[in-house]
Amino acid sequence: MFLKKFNKICGYIAGALVLIAALVIIYDVISRYAFNAPSLYAPYISAFLILGSAFIGTAYAMQSGGHVYVEIFVDKLKPLPRKICFTIGYVMSLVFVGALTRACWQFSLKAVDAGWRAQGNLPIPSVILYGIMTFGAAVLFITIIYKMIQMWRGKEEEES
């Protein structure tokens, strides 16, 4: 399915962003301690990359079962009550992620209208950050719906 492939690509992008952030931090540490020349931009670049990674990769983490949840209770339930418990959790997640998506979208619009820029040494347009957050939250919303449908169709154990 398209969503699985798309989420997997987003997962690779998120991993690449984390790798780049790690390299930026390594560069900053070396330049700070070996050459006594700290970078003014490295902390901001790495923070933005990690933010992007978190939002771009969270749908893939959901799809592949990478999020942490307490299984002690639901593992002891029979299949139908287990599905009901997971559905309640998914619906609660949809409410939260839907509100997050809406808020990120509204901030994106405000950032465009007001010309907001990120504060600090690297004043990139805030619409980029809010856009990534909106994109990631929207894809997560769709993925949660997909996971819930797959669970009720009996296909939740398929390989991601």
Side-chain angles (χ1 to χ4, degrees):
M1 173 174 200
F2 174 75
L3 183 63
K4 284 186 174 186
K5 290 178 183 176
F6 183 75
N7 282 344
K8 195 168 193 173
I9 291 168
C10 287
Y12 283 121
I13 292 169
L17 292 177
V18 170
L19 177 65
I20 294 168
L23 294 173
V24 168
I25 291 170
I26 290 170
Y27 161 78
D28 187 42
V29 169
I30 291 171
S31 67
R32 177 181 305 268
Y33 292 106
F35 306 112
N36 200 22
S39 170
L40 296 175
Y41 304 107
Y44 294 99
I45 292 170
S46 60
F48 294 151
L49 290 170
I50 295 297
L51 174 87
S53 174
F55 276 88
I56 291 172
T58 194
Y60 177 71
M62 175 72 184
Q63 171 183 297
S64 63
H67 287 119
V68 177
Y69 58 95
V70 180
E71 305 166 339
I72 296 170
F73 177 71
V74 292
D75 279 350
K76 295 179 182 178
L77 295 175
K78 293 184 180 188
L80 182 60
R82 180 182 302 164
K83 286 181 180 180
I84 292 170
C85 285
F86 275 115
T87 300
I88 291 168
Y90 285 148
V91 168
M92 290 170 54
S93 297
L94 283 173
V95 169
F96 173 78
V97 173
L100 177 66
T101 305
R102 184 173 184 265
C104 291
W105 176 251
Q106 289 174 338
F107 274 111
S108 295
L109 296 177
K110 287 179 183 179
V112 169
D113 289 341
W116 290 351
R117 294 192 162 279
Q119 293 183 345
N121 293 339
L122 192 63
I124 66 171
S126 293
V127 69
I128 295 170
L129 303 173
Y130 289 124
I132 290 171
M133 293 167 66
T134 303
F135 169 78
V139 174
L140 178 60
F141 189 87
I142 294 166
T143 302
I144 292 169
I145 292 171
Y146 175 76
K147 287 280 286 188
M148 191 167 32
I149 291 169
Q150 292 300 96
M151 177 188 66
W152 281 102
R153 291 178 68 200
K155 298 182 180 180
E156 70 271 19
E157 299 301 323
E158 284 184 1
E159 185 173 323
S160 302

